[in-house]
Amino acid sequence: MDKGFIWFWTKFFIEKIIQILGWIILVLVLFYILTTLVIRPSNDRAWNLDQEILPYAEVHGNLVNVHNIRNFTYASTTDYVPAYYDKVFDLSKLKRVYYVVEPFTDFVGAAHTFLSFEFEGDNFVAVSVEIRKEKGESFSALKGLFRQYELMYVIADERDVVKLRSNYRKDLVYVYPVKASPEDGKKLFLDIIERVNGLRYEPEFYNTLTNTCTTNIADHVNDITPRRIPGSLDILFPAASDRLALKLGLLDTDLPLEAARAKYLINDKALKYADDPMFAAKIRLEE
């Protein structure tokens, strides 16, 4: 077959593919601009029951009165009994911060991450940044690029937010101690509370790339220690964010990554102590 003929048609098809890709990109850009101009975030929608109520807090010196701490009792991921409580936390009694990683079973590289705070007397409270789903909604990473989900901070009891993931979703859950001074832990908690209160009056959209569970954690850390966490693909694909945290010296362990993962995997203990009122303390026991 004539080489000129082959080259002509090869060049023709390459140009057509480039044109088609160009039109696709243009349509996506125009759609993004349109949604940015027209769609506004709101706190007034028909929310899923587990994300219907926003938390908020009042700060009086070292005392932080947190309202609407979620503590659902689950029979399955879709069958649960709603419950909330209020609690006052004394920042002078903050002992430790934990970084929690839940890699997703069906999506390589994807994960949910959140923080938990331990206070004296085995008092724990977790903060999880999530999409705020409307009734009937499910998560789509693609939709998350186009202002389709509001963002919310769930403040929860670990018997809710940890056990939901380990015991009912059956995902692996790692609970890593963070290397942070009590003063830095206090600043981090207050920085989070300020954002929690702000979202109550000025809702925001979730964005799959720029406004996620892990990007918000990185932003909070950088708020109290500027440039502590640099931009990284491990933030966009947070199943490996524990690797980044270990490399940056943010985790309170000298173990290499795989040994740290083995030590701080809590699934077996979460099943063993599922009904224990001291669940949060028990899953941290070394056995």
Side-chain angles (χ1 to χ4, degrees):
M1 187 177 291
D2 184 77
K3 290 183 179 179
F5 178 82
I6 295 174
W7 168 246
F8 172 81
W9 285 107
T10 301
K11 183 172 179 291
F12 175 81
F13 283 118
I14 290 174
E15 288 176 349
K16 288 300 180 184
I17 291 171
I18 291 173
Q19 288 177 8
I20 292 170
L21 289 175
W23 279 110
I24 291 173
I25 292 171
L26 179 61
V27 169
L28 290 175
V29 169
L30 290 175
F31 180 74
Y32 184 80
I33 292 172
L34 180 63
T35 56
T36 300
L37 293 174
V38 174
I39 302 175
R40 291 287 182 265
S42 173
N43 282 330
D44 185 20
R45 303 193 194 279
W47 303 112
N48 219 30
L49 184 60
D50 60 330
Q51 294 174 317
E52 186 175 25
I53 298 177
L54 289 175
Y56 67 98
E58 298 144 349
V59 181
H60 305 283
N62 278 329
L63 300 182
V64 182
N65 186 9
V66 181
H67 299 270
N68 301 328
I69 299 171
R70 201 180 73 188
N71 189 27
F72 284 22
T73 301
Y74 295 88
S76 71
T77 56
T78 56
D79 182 13
Y80 41 75
V81 178
Y84 294 87
Y85 63 85
D86 301 344
K87 191 166 185 175
V88 176
F89 295 93
D90 186 343
L91 293 177
S92 68
K93 297 181 178 180
L94 178 63
K95 290 178 61 178
R96 188 178 286 278
V97 182
Y98 296 88
Y99 181 56
V100 185
V101 182
E102 173 206 5
F104 295 155
T105 304
D106 299 328
F107 301 94
V108 176
H112 183 62
T113 62
F114 59 95
L115 297 175
S116 190
F117 296 82
E118 178 185 3
F119 295 81
E120 291 178 14
D122 290 327
N123 290 309
F124 296 82
V125 65
V127 183
S128 174
V129 184
E130 305 177 6
I131 65 167
R132 194 178 187 192
K133 295 188 294 292
E134 297 177 55
K135 291 178 180 178
E137 264 189 336
S138 59
F139 176 71
S140 161
L142 181 60
K143 287 175 64 177
L145 292 170
F146 297 102
R147 302 165 71 90
Q148 297 301 298
Y149 307 110
E150 273 80 8
L151 182 89
M152 79 172 293
Y153 276 50
V154 176
I155 300 183
D157 195 295
E158 284 198 6
R159 289 171 293 182
D160 175 325
V161 75
V162 172
K163 197 161 65 174
L164 168 64
R165 291 166 166 81
S166 60
N167 294 24
Y168 296 98
R169 291 183 182 168
K170 303 297 183 182
D171 286 335
L172 300 179
V173 178
Y174 303 91
V175 180
Y176 297 105
V178 172
K179 189 180 294 182
S181 68
E183 185 60 27
D184 281 344
K186 174 181 176 179
K187 290 178 182 177
L188 182 62
F189 192 81
L190 288 173
D191 197 63
I192 288 171
I193 291 300
E194 181 178 358
R195 184 141 163 75
V196 166
N197 286 340
L199 286 170
R200 196 172 170 220
Y201 300 102
E202 296 182 7
E204 295 179 13
F205 282 116
Y206 173 94
N207 184 282
T208 304
L209 297 178
T210 62
N211 201 10
T212 68
C213 54
T214 313
T215 63
N216 276 283
I217 292 173
D219 287 345
H220 286 301
V221 172
N222 288 335
D223 281 347
I224 65 170
T225 309
R227 296 181 295 279
R228 185 69 176 89
I229 301 178
S232 170
L233 285 177
D234 288 338
I235 294 175
L236 296 179
F237 300 97
S241 60
D242 52 354
R243 175 178 62 196
L244 176 64
L246 189 64
K247 177 182 177 182
L248 295 174
L250 293 169
L251 302 184
D252 193 11
T253 179
D254 295 323
L255 294 172
L257 179 61
E258 292 307 320
R261 285 176 172 171
K263 179 176 181 179
Y264 295 112
L265 179 68
I266 57 86
N267 289 67
D268 289 343
K269 286 177 281 190
L271 289 171
K272 181 178 179 180
Y273 299 112
D275 299 320
D276 196 307
M278 300 297 291
F279 172 83
K282 294 287 182 69
I283 62 173
R284 290 167 169 79
L285 292 176
E286 294 189 21
E287 298 180 339

